[in-house]
Amino acid sequence: MRRDRIRAMAVTASAALALVALTGCGPAPWTEAQDEPKATSAAPVAPPVSNDLSGGSTQRELTAGAVAATVDYWSDLSMDRWTAEALKPVSMSMVTTVTPDDGQKVYLQKATMIAVPGNAAEMFDALETQADAATVNPGYLVLSPYSYSQTFTVGAVPAEATFVEVQLRYDFLVQTTPTSTEFAKQTATDVLTVAIAASPAADD
């Protein structure tokens, strides 16, 4: 009996040691949390550049006091050739009406264009201002059916530019009465955004 009791105690001790050994090995591999796949963020996509001349031309209705001006804009240079280094023409044609129309005339005293290149991150320095000041007094007659046409040129812009803002200003003189030599000055402004195309060299 004594030998059987000693043998049973030895077996119990061995089992306990085996249990301790198993416990010290840590959790079973299949119970460990699996690494979750890390979320990957997509690279930001630059928004498309708007282009007011993407259709070849655009028409704007401008108001300056009693004067309503209809202005057509276009470029003889195709949009795929509006590269940073190119000379980029912007043409316009204007005709006006006046309300009330009592017979007074409308004259364009001066047309001004400023081109400001930029991209999604910044605006660059404006190019040199271009202006067409009337060479006749009191100005160019622009009251319908008489119209005014002009072409301005956007010069070279920084290679980083993706668009150019064409800022336009029109200064009108309106007769106060049909026979008056006195005039009221009215000003209209407009802005065109035109995309800059990638240079062929940049695509190589």
Side-chain angles (χ1 to χ4, degrees):
M1 288 293 293
R2 182 178 178 82
R3 280 198 299 269
D4 292 342
R5 186 178 301 163
I6 291 173
R7 189 179 296 113
M9 292 176 64
V11 171
T12 303
S14 297
L17 288 172
L19 180 61
V20 170
L22 287 174
T23 304
C25 291
W30 56 83
T31 64
E32 294 182 358
Q34 300 296 315
D35 291 338
E36 296 183 0
K38 295 181 180 179
T40 57
S41 57
V45 178
V49 178
S50 62
N51 189 347
D52 290 323
L53 295 183
S54 59
S57 64
T58 190
Q59 184 178 89
R60 299 289 179 82
E61 300 290 337
L62 310 178
T63 302
V67 178
T70 300
V71 189
D72 290 296
Y73 299 101
W74 70 94
S75 179
D76 290 332
L77 186 68
S78 60
M79 291 294 99
D80 62 322
R81 297 175 63 190
W82 264 63
T83 57
E85 65 277 8
L87 296 179
K88 302 167 277 293
V90 177
S91 299
M92 48 85 60
S93 179
M94 172 195 294
V95 67
T96 70
T97 58
V98 61
T99 304
D101 184 0
D102 297 324
Q104 67 271 44
K105 292 181 172 60
V106 180
Y107 300 90
L108 179 67
Q109 187 180 38
K110 188 176 183 181
T112 306
M113 188 275 284
I114 301 175
V116 185
N119 57 35
E122 62 180 319
M123 298 298 292
F124 302 101
D125 291 339
L127 305 187
E128 184 177 356
T129 300
Q130 299 176 41
D132 179 24
T135 56
V136 294
N137 190 36
Y140 301 123
L141 180 62
V142 291
L143 186 67
S144 180
Y146 300 98
S147 63
Y148 166 83
S149 297
Q150 180 59 273
T151 297
F152 294 109
T153 302
V154 178
V157 300
E160 300 82 6
T162 58
F163 65 86
V164 61
E165 282 190 357
V166 181
Q167 303 174 2
L168 299 127
R169 174 188 171 111
Y170 306 106
D171 294 322
F172 301 103
L173 292 178
V174 184
Q175 278 184 305
T176 55
T177 66
T179 58
S180 176
T181 56
E182 294 182 341
F183 300 88
K185 182 178 180 180
Q186 304 289 349
T187 299
T189 60
D190 201 2
V191 177
L192 299 177
T193 299
V194 187
I196 297 297
S199 299
D203 295 334
D204 294 339

